[in-house]
Amino acid sequence: MGNACLITEIQRFAINDGPGFRTNVFLKGCPLKCAWCHNPETIDAKAQIYWKKRLCVQCGACMEACPTEAIQPPIDPVLAQSEGVDYYKIDLARCNHSMQCAAVCPYGALEITGKLLTVKEILDEVESDLPFYKNSGGGMTLSGGEPTAHPDFAEKLLAGAKARGLHTCLDTNGYCSWEVLEKLLAYTDIVLFDLKHTDPEKHKQWTGVDNALIMKNLARLTQTGVEIWVRIPVVPGFNDSIEDHKAAVEFLNGLPGKIRRVDLLPYHNWCQDKYGWLGLDWPLGRVEAMEPSLLEIPKEFYEMSGLKTTIGGSGFEEAN
């Protein structure tokens, strides 16, 4: 699948994922399972189906089309849409991802998330906003999911973008072999590198993986000369204490090379509909979004140590 990949979204006019106006390309598939993930549809590498209950009239067309009898029988639409009702249209254990239910849904209540696109198809769409990139210093940001989970495709897409004169950012969690990451650097102007936690046990508890490889890759990355923006998603109960921030500052200042800036990204729960559409429970959806102002004091710790820092990661904000 080196010439095509499942894409969940091509998001235009993004302003928090690198400098200027950017087009974000979200690849499907990620080796981490972060408890706070804001793009749950990008974790599974396979195409999935959203069921949007507000659009569903319980007509039964999907039930007739499903080859594995994975569709629940229709119930009253008002009841199905009621809060607290334990009803999800698809029996996920029986679903074989034939997508026939989505194909016959006349109301758009069943929607496929994950479209197979080629490098050319993606770049043609990305390049359509070239004037905005030139005026703002923007370009394309390769995100996900995790781009390094698709190394051949990611390399071809980044190389194709550079061939068209586009500025490129690679948004990565760093959980990959160094050989994969190093290959992508040849076509990357800025690496947006996620640092989630410095404690290996807590990192594994909340993401499913240890952080040793991630921290080792970041250290090696700082020795390559590539521009690095370290992005820290600040999540209540996970890494929002002053001690957590102090540990991050100590680690970043101990790196063998330099980073350009630190972006503190306050937790939000605006993606909770996505979990519902996928039939997934999301405990953190009940946690209130974090006020950005709460990060002003932690921001001072980073700045006092010499690290240029923003809250929110705006590409139009020059870090102090």
Side-chain angles (χ1 to χ4, degrees):
M1 223 157 76
N3 293 313
C5 190
L6 285 177
I7 307 298
T8 61
E9 184 180 8
I10 298 178
Q11 180 187 55
R12 300 168 66 187
F13 299 109
I15 60 171
N16 295 314
D17 302 284
F21 288 117
R22 310 198 68 80
T23 296
N24 294 341
V25 180
F26 292 90
L27 276 59
K28 207 170 187 322
C30 181
L32 272 63
K33 292 179 175 59
C34 300
W36 64 90
C37 183
H38 293 157
N39 295 304
E41 76 282 8
T42 67
I43 297 175
D44 195 322
K46 302 187 301 293
Q48 293 169 283
I49 297 177
Y50 284 148
W51 176 55
K52 299 182 177 181
K53 62 182 179 181
R54 292 182 181 87
L55 299 177
C56 182
V57 300
Q58 301 288 334
C59 67
C62 55
M63 188 174 178
E64 294 178 8
C66 180
T68 60
E69 299 182 345
I71 300 296
Q72 302 288 2
I75 65 172
D76 180 76
V78 176
L79 179 62
Q81 296 175 25
S82 301
E83 292 296 327
V85 173
D86 185 19
Y87 178 88
Y88 184 70
K89 197 65 182 172
I90 305 169
D91 182 342
L92 298 176
R94 303 186 70 168
C95 178
N96 70 347
H97 300 89
S98 73
M99 306 302 174
Q100 293 183 36
C101 58
V104 301
C105 180
Y107 301 100
L110 291 166
E111 177 185 324
I112 298 172
T113 174
K115 183 178 181 181
L116 194 64
L117 295 176
T118 66
V119 168
K120 182 180 185 303
E121 288 172 326
I122 294 170
L123 291 179
D124 285 349
E125 183 166 347
V126 171
E127 197 175 28
S128 66
D129 285 331
L130 188 59
F132 296 99
Y133 308 147
K134 288 184 175 180
N135 290 334
S136 67
M140 182 187 79
T141 296
L142 186 54
S143 187
E146 174 52 40
T148 62
H150 308 277
D152 293 340
F153 182 81
E155 183 178 6
K156 289 177 181 178
L157 186 57
L158 289 168
K162 295 309 298 179
R164 297 193 189 203
L166 298 173
H167 182 277
T168 59
C169 288
L170 173 65
D171 184 6
T172 180
N173 58 37
Y175 191 73
C176 63
S177 71
W178 173 251
E179 290 72 24
V180 165
L181 190 56
E182 187 177 35
K183 273 188 175 183
L184 301 183
L185 297 184
Y187 310 106
T188 301
D189 293 302
I190 299 175
V191 176
L192 310 177
F193 197 102
D194 288 355
L195 179 64
K196 304 178 193 300
H197 210 293
T198 57
D199 180 81
E201 287 302 317
K202 201 162 188 181
H203 192 282
K204 186 172 184 178
Q205 179 185 352
W206 284 65
T207 72
V209 303
D210 183 89
N211 64 357
L213 177 61
I214 294 168
M215 297 173 80
K216 181 179 179 181
N217 279 338
L218 179 54
R220 293 188 70 171
L221 196 61
T222 63
Q223 297 177 293
T224 65
V226 69
E227 185 171 338
I228 305 167
W229 296 12
V230 170
R231 291 149 65 90
I232 301 178
V234 184
V235 182
F238 172 59
N239 63 355
D240 61 331
S241 72
I242 292 301
E243 290 72 23
D244 291 327
H245 289 295
K246 286 182 177 179
V249 167
E250 183 178 355
F251 169 70
L252 293 173
N253 279 328
L255 290 169
K258 298 294 183 182
I259 61 173
R260 173 70 181 86
R261 61 188 257 181
V262 175
D263 294 328
L264 301 177
L265 310 179
Y267 165 84
H268 68 74
N269 58 5
W270 308 332
C271 58
Q272 54 189 314
D273 279 351
K274 291 183 177 181
Y275 282 88
W277 295 342
L278 291 168
L280 303 174
D281 181 46
W282 187 41
L284 282 184
R286 295 180 279 276
V287 177
E288 290 188 10
M290 179 180 289
E291 279 290 333
S293 60
L294 294 177
L295 295 180
E296 290 291 347
I297 292 177
K299 179 173 180 276
E300 292 182 9
F301 281 102
Y302 293 87
E303 293 174 341
M304 288 171 60
S305 72
L307 295 166
K308 296 180 178 181
T309 307
T310 76
I311 296 173
S314 171
F316 288 92
E317 178 181 353
E318 182 62 26
N320 295 325

